[in-house]
């Protein structure tokens, strides 16, 4: 995510204790064992489904058997030891030279535009935490400042601190190619297209890339309470930090033993535009008691008024449940285009008023409690 048929099928069949690479094939099922211990969240919320098909999903208000599933071994272990997140290890004047490992198209043929999954090898020299960003400096001169390099472009990191290879040496960026077409000629105007996004999407394995950072503390995943609820709302490539959260919660064998609830809302244009859908669907299958996943497909779904379904419409659909969870201390995150926030804020304000609450007061309290996390671009 930059600040300024769906996804290919993904497999994470990883030999424990050995090197591995991201494999794009059918997801390998996890082996499941049930313990005799039951799990129930600290806050009982009646998440009644809107239709019978969702009945099996909304069981977080019950005491359920917590599955013990095999998780991926990660290295190095000292990435769990740091008490504070790394910040600005490399600055724009002295960036780190990393190497492109792979560039893969994430979206299907009917998606508007192109989004790429880009893995970068930093050799373990630019460690980061989930929710942070890297800066990228594309090669060449800044056209507005001849002789000077291009400005830094920030991208949210779409992997956990261990990277897609689980060895702490790579980071993943989720990048949408930014193209500008002249409305009169219909042709691309390279001078107005995204220099950095095109550089990254055009990169080949082995190419060098100048990176800065890591930066950012607003979107860091709070881990002081493993049983907390996390509500994640994304549009497009804004899903990047949430992919990192979910890998840490559900895929990796790490010190953070997540026992709470994660709820992801993802807004995109259509099915072909979904990002990491196979990963998220697998978590839904394996952890139905801990993970909820709702998609807003604006060109394929209708809201209750018959208009296009946007992410704020999904929020309104489940507003009672969301407000109850927030009242119980849930964290809520927003990541994506700036344009997403006005509609979401209007929806939340309307819902609050219907509940006899002041949204301004509620928002102030959420910010004071550090439950409100926003990163838009």
């Amino acid at each position: 995510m930059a600040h300024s048929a769906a996804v290919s099928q993904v497999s994470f069949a990883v030999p424990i204790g050995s090197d591995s690479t991201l494999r794009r094939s059918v997801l390998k099922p996890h082996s499941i064992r049930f313990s005799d211990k039951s799990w129930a969240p600290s806050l009982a919320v009646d998440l009644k489904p809107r239709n019978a098909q969702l009945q099996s999903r909304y069981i977080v208000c019950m005491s359920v058997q917590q599955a013990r599933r095999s998780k991926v071994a990660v290295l190095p272990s000292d990435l769990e030891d740091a008490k504070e997140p790394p910040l600005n290890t490399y600055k724009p004047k002295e960036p780190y030279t990393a190497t492109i490992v792979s560039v893969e198209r994430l979206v299907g043929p009917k998606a508007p535009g192109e989004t790429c999954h880009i893995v970068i090898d930093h050799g373990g020299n630019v460690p980061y935490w989930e929710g942070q960003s890297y800066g990228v400096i594309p090669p060449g001169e800044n056209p507005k400042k001849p002789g000077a390099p291009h400005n830094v472009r920030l991208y949210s990191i779409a992997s956990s601190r261990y990277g897609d290879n689980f060895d702490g040496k790579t980071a993943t960026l989720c990048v949408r190619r930014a193209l500008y077409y002249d409305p009169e000629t219909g042709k691309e105007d390279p001078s107005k297209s995204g220099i950095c996004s095109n550089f990254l999407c055009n990169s080949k394995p082995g190419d060098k890339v100048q990176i800065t950072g890591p930066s950012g503390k607003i979107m860091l995943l709070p881990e002081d309470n493993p049983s907390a609820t996390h509500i994640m709302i994304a549009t497009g490539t804004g899903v990047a930090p949430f992919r990192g959260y979910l890998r840490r919660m559900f895929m990796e064998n790490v010190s953070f033993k997540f026992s709470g609830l994660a709820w992801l809302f993802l807004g995109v244009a259509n099915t072909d535009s979904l990002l990491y859908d196979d990963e998220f669907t697998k978590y839904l299958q394996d952890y139905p008691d801990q993970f909820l996943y709702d998609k807003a497909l604006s060109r394929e779904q209708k809201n209750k008024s018959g208009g296009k379904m946007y992410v704020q419409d999904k929020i309104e659909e489940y507003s009672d449940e969301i407000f109850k969870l927030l009242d119980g201390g849930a964290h809520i995150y927003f990541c994506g285009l700036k344009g997403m926030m006005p509609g979401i804020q209007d929806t939340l304000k309307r819902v609050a008023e219907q509940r006899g609450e002041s949204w301004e007061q509620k928002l102030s309290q959420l910010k004071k409690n550090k439950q409100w996390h926003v990163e838009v671009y």
Side-chain angles (χ1 to χ4, degrees):
M1 184 212 74
H3 307 240
S4 65
V7 64
S8 305
Q9 291 180 315
V10 183
S11 172
F12 296 97
V14 182
I16 302 301
S18 64
D19 290 337
S20 60
T21 57
L22 178 67
R23 308 172 98 186
R24 297 186 172 272
S25 57
V26 178
L27 278 160
K28 182 177 179 180
H30 292 258
S31 59
I32 301 176
R33 298 198 311 272
F34 291 94
S35 70
D36 57 1
K37 295 183 178 180
S38 63
W39 170 86
S42 56
L43 174 68
V45 178
D46 183 14
L47 297 184
K48 293 180 180 178
R50 296 299 190 267
N51 59 61
Q53 290 181 331
L54 299 180
Q55 186 69 47
S56 62
R57 291 181 49 195
Y58 296 97
I59 57 177
V60 298
C61 57
M62 309 174 191
S63 176
V64 297
Q65 295 293 328
Q66 172 67 6
R68 288 180 179 173
R69 296 171 180 82
S70 297
K71 292 191 175 182
V72 176
V74 293
L75 291 171
S77 60
D78 60 6
L79 289 181
E80 298 291 308
D81 297 340
K83 302 302 181 185
E84 295 291 332
L87 286 171
N88 301 312
T89 308
Y90 288 89
K91 297 177 174 59
K93 291 185 178 180
E94 296 182 342
Y96 180 81
T97 302
T99 304
I100 299 291
V101 175
S102 62
V103 178
E104 299 178 79
R105 182 183 172 96
L106 270 177
V107 295
K110 296 181 180 179
E114 179 183 18
T115 302
C116 294
H117 176 91
I118 301 170
V119 179
I120 297 173
D121 183 355
H122 59 79
N125 297 306
V126 197
Y128 56 89
W129 282 12
E130 296 73 21
Q132 290 191 302
S133 300
Y134 271 169
V136 176
I137 305 175
E141 288 188 1
N142 188 331
K144 296 181 180 180
K145 299 178 181 179
H150 286 289
N151 293 330
V152 174
R153 183 72 164 168
L154 292 177
Y155 292 90
S156 291
I157 299 171
S159 51
S160 78
R161 67 192 69 183
Y162 296 98
D164 281 9
N165 292 345
F166 309 106
D167 60 4
K169 295 181 180 180
T170 68
T172 297
L173 303 182
C174 179
V175 180
R176 190 178 192 276
R177 188 190 292 274
L179 299 178
Y180 176 83
Y181 293 92
D182 188 294
E184 295 184 2
T185 66
K187 295 182 179 180
E188 182 195 352
D189 182 347
S191 67
K192 295 183 179 179
S193 292
I195 294 172
C196 196
S197 68
N198 287 316
F199 159 68
L200 288 169
C201 290
N202 291 335
S203 295
K204 306 296 181 186
D207 286 353
K208 301 301 180 182
V209 56
Q210 301 290 312
I211 62 174
T212 66
S215 63
K217 299 178 74 172
I218 293 174
M219 295 292 286
L220 289 176
L221 177 65
E223 298 190 2
D224 55 324
N225 178 12
S227 63
T229 294
H230 303 271
I231 303 169
M232 300 161 279
I233 299 166
T235 56
T237 56
V239 78
F242 306 141
R243 179 181 183 252
Y245 295 177
L246 294 169
R247 288 169 73 89
R248 187 159 175 83
M249 289 172 176
F250 299 126
M251 182 182 291
E252 300 170 341
N253 185 15
V254 293
S255 62
F256 179 50
K257 306 301 181 184
F258 181 63
S259 59
L261 172 68
W263 194 348
L264 174 63
F265 291 85
L266 176 58
V268 293
N270 55 21
T271 301
D272 268 20
S273 304
L274 288 168
L275 305 175
Y276 307 110
D277 186 58
D278 283 0
E279 274 187 53
F280 303 148
T281 299
K282 194 66 171 68
Y283 300 146
L284 186 61
Q285 294 170 354
D286 287 350
Y287 297 89
D289 53 332
Q290 289 185 267
F291 182 53
L292 304 179
Y293 179 30
D294 284 280
K295 295 169 272 192
L297 309 178
S298 62
R299 300 188 184 181
E300 296 178 1
Q301 298 174 331
K302 301 293 184 183
N303 60 25
K304 65 181 182 180
S305 301
K308 292 183 177 181
M309 175 72 79
Y310 293 108
V311 71
Q312 60 262 34
D313 298 310
K314 281 291 181 182
I315 293 171
E316 185 170 16
E317 185 177 345
Y318 296 108
S319 58
D320 284 343
E321 294 87 343
I322 290 172
F323 269 65
K324 288 176 183 177
L325 290 169
L326 290 174
D327 289 343
H331 291 269
I332 190 165
Y333 311 80
F334 303 88
C335 194
L337 294 172
K338 274 182 187 175
M340 71 186 278
M341 291 309 295
I344 290 173
Q345 291 269 32
D346 289 345
T347 297
L348 292 171
K349 182 178 181 179
R350 182 171 62 254
V351 170
E353 290 174 349
Q354 291 170 354
R355 294 165 58 89
E357 301 180 52
S358 164
W359 173 243
E360 288 74 15
Q361 291 179 5
K362 194 173 193 69
L363 177 58
S364 176
Q365 191 62 45
L366 290 172
K367 291 179 177 179
K368 182 178 179 181
N369 295 343
K370 299 183 179 180
Q371 294 173 248
W372 182 265
H373 313 263
V374 179
E375 185 172 83
V376 292
Y377 49 96

